[in-house]
Amino acid sequence: MAVPELLAPAGDLEKLQAAVIYGADAVYLGGKQFGLRERAGNFTLEEMAVGVEFAHARGVKVYVTVNIFAHNRDLDDLPAYLRQLEEIGVDAVIVSDPGVLALVREITPELPVHLSTQASTTNWMAARFWQEQGVSRIVLARELTLEEIREIRRQVQVPLEVFVHGAMCISYSGRCLLSNYMTGRDANRGDCAQACRWRYALVEEKRPGEYFPVEEGSRGTYILSSRDLCLLEYIPQLVEAGVDSLKIEGRVKSVHYVATVVSVYRQALDDCRADPARFQVQERWLEELGKVSHREYTTGFFTGKPAKAAQGAVDSIYRRPYTFVGVVREYDPARGLALVEQRNRFARGEELEVLLPGGQTFSFVLTGLYDEEVSPIDAAPHPRQRVFLSLPRPVQPWSLLRRREEYNN
């Protein structure tokens, strides 16, 4: 059976490559301007060209965000940028602003346009309007139930994209002014300070400086912070509803996050394709999703209006049960040694886990650790340090190493 495209975030070139290697059908990314993730690594035009070539060589599409709410001054440089994107060969641009859409249609009429979730498409009349404007795909608002998605699908022919995993914004489809009001950093221009994730207390106007806690849990209060979205168990319903693309949030997340989440959803989609009637969420998939840095999970609006508890983090805002420590760059089968690029400190004697492209994992105790001259060392403490280590079985490049941490909820 046909299953939706799996669309993964690519905050920089390395994350793009990881998303492709771990099973994405398409990736979305931003350039150095005009996108809504200013603090992601983002891509120069040269890096974007390399990324497009890497993805296309493996049958993966690349979509570029041009989804700011543009001011007059933004329109001056945008035509040249659009022509450059078309020349690079990107597969679509993602826009939210009607003026930007009109400009794309004028400057690069052959370039497909996806309508961003920032446009807050929540009904079939709006979807039909955008279809008539010539958009190639609509990224639906996150605030929709399954039945609402089905109704939109019945009413329009344009392909539909739905977020299935990652951070949720407390504001309507990300249209937030809180960050701009409190810090001067405009979320609608890609520079959100994530003020909704901060800890808050109560102050009485005649007692300035005297803070009264609004207790939600022992570690503080995050009254505006949503839990993270996870719709893994609803993949068959999304397929049945006619959704064309399943989108993972996370351009500012780590390579480990991107690879792990993409791997899980790739396996789930492949299982659904093979036998949709007998599809079941595997416990190992849930375990994998629990290994990345995340907030508690919720189904958001998908099954109905979220309960109060589903939107606020109850105890701690993040769960980080594993530390990502390295990426395998090469493997020498003759010596049983892997060349690893360090991401966090690790040392001999530690138990590490390996995630392989394809989703398999295995654990081992690190006994052999060597510098680049293959001299024994006790630890790899330096960022991006390259070391060799002994492994009990062969691994592929892009395998990831992580360490379980002592973790209390």
Side-chain angles (χ1 to χ4, degrees):
M1 65 172 294
V3 299
E5 164 192 272
L6 179 57
L7 176 57
D12 57 29
L13 183 57
E14 184 182 46
K15 294 171 189 176
L16 179 151
Q17 293 168 331
V20 171
I21 295 297
Y22 278 82
D25 298 307
V27 296
Y28 64 101
L29 55 88
K32 295 295 185 180
Q33 53 186 339
F34 306 119
L36 285 182
R37 285 294 183 272
E38 187 171 295
R39 293 176 188 269
N42 293 324
F43 288 70
T44 64
L45 290 169
E46 293 75 17
E47 290 169 335
M48 203 180 292
V50 172
V52 168
E53 182 178 4
F54 182 90
H56 284 179
R58 292 157 180 81
V60 174
K61 295 182 177 181
V62 178
Y63 312 138
V64 176
T65 59
V66 190
N67 58 344
I68 61 168
F69 288 111
H71 289 249
N72 293 332
R73 62 185 179 274
D74 298 310
L75 303 180
D76 296 335
D77 295 332
L78 191 51
Y81 183 65
L82 292 171
R83 293 188 186 98
Q84 290 167 321
L85 295 184
E86 185 174 52
E87 184 177 338
I88 287 170
V90 306
D91 296 283
V93 291
I94 306 169
V95 310
S96 57
D97 185 288
V100 174
L101 172 60
L103 196 58
V104 174
R105 284 280 151 264
E106 176 187 337
I107 301 298
T108 52
E110 301 303 314
L111 188 59
V113 178
H114 296 178
L115 185 72
S116 171
T117 191
Q118 292 290 115
S120 304
T121 304
T122 57
N123 64 79
W124 64 264
M125 282 291 287
R128 184 175 292 178
F129 168 83
W130 290 114
Q131 177 179 289
E132 291 168 353
Q133 305 312 305
V135 301
S136 304
R137 178 186 295 184
I138 296 174
V139 188
L140 294 175
R142 290 176 172 91
E143 296 80 21
L144 294 178
T145 65
L146 173 60
E147 187 48 49
E148 288 176 311
I149 294 170
R150 285 174 173 152
E151 178 64 15
I152 293 171
R153 174 74 291 158
R154 286 190 288 265
Q155 296 288 346
V156 299
Q157 289 72 52
V158 64
L160 302 177
E161 181 176 303
V162 171
F163 276 93
V164 294
H165 197 94
M168 295 271 283
C169 185
I170 204 69
S171 297
Y172 212 89
S173 292
R175 290 188 171 196
C176 181
L177 296 175
L178 186 63
S179 171
N180 202 0
Y181 176 78
M182 298 182 75
T183 71
R185 288 170 48 182
D186 191 348
N188 295 309
R189 296 178 62 76
D191 196 22
C192 182
Q194 295 204 350
C196 60
R197 310 294 185 192
W198 298 350
R199 296 172 63 175
Y200 288 89
L202 180 67
V203 178
E204 198 275 326
E205 67 172 332
K206 294 182 180 179
R207 301 182 185 184
E210 195 171 334
Y211 300 99
F212 300 91
V214 184
E215 289 296 338
E216 188 177 40
S218 60
R219 300 189 186 184
T221 300
Y222 306 91
I223 56 177
L224 297 178
S225 181
S226 171
R227 297 185 182 187
D228 286 353
L229 181 66
C230 179
L231 296 183
L232 184 69
E233 65 181 297
Y234 293 99
I235 283 178
Q237 290 92 326
L238 288 159
V239 173
E240 176 271 332
V243 173
D244 299 277
S245 180
L246 305 185
K247 188 170 193 172
I248 297 167
E249 183 277 338
R251 280 192 285 149
V252 297
K253 301 289 181 64
S254 71
V255 173
H256 175 235
Y257 178 95
V258 172
T260 301
V261 177
V262 168
S263 177
V264 167
Y265 278 86
R266 176 77 276 149
Q267 294 172 70
L269 280 168
D270 290 347
D271 272 18
C272 189
R273 176 190 288 113
D275 194 347
R278 300 181 65 181
F279 175 84
Q280 286 188 327
V281 173
Q282 303 296 313
E283 186 62 31
R284 58 188 171 86
W285 298 342
L286 298 176
E287 290 176 358
E288 279 296 297
L289 293 179
K291 292 175 181 178
V292 298
S293 177
H294 68 286
R295 303 172 188 93
E296 291 185 50
Y297 287 126
T298 177
T299 56
F301 293 82
F302 191 74
T303 57
K305 185 176 180 180
K308 181 178 180 182
Q311 288 302 103
V314 175
D315 206 4
S316 60
I317 194 166
Y318 264 118
R319 299 175 181 274
R320 297 184 177 93
Y322 279 76
T323 296
F324 170 43
V325 299
V327 184
V328 174
R329 294 306 185 195
E330 298 174 11
Y331 180 75
D332 182 351
R335 296 187 294 175
L337 292 178
L339 177 63
V340 172
E341 188 175 273
Q342 185 259 38
R343 292 309 165 84
N344 282 287
R345 186 187 188 280
F346 63 96
R348 282 196 302 119
E350 293 181 335
E351 183 174 357
L352 303 179
E353 183 174 276
V354 181
L355 172 64
L356 302 168
Q360 303 87 1
T361 64
F362 69 90
S363 298
F364 70 103
V365 175
L366 180 58
T367 56
L369 183 61
Y370 312 92
D371 62 19
E372 288 193 86
E373 284 69 47
V374 200
S375 298
I377 56 177
D378 292 325
H382 305 300
R384 301 274 179 167
Q385 180 179 0
R386 290 196 164 210
V387 297
F388 287 99
L389 52 85
S390 301
L391 291 173
R393 53 176 284 192
V395 296
Q396 305 151 261
W398 286 99
S399 298
L400 305 184
L401 279 69
R402 57 196 178 197
R403 178 181 61 240
R404 183 174 179 82
E405 305 294 353
E406 292 296 327
Y407 179 76
N408 297 311
N409 290 345

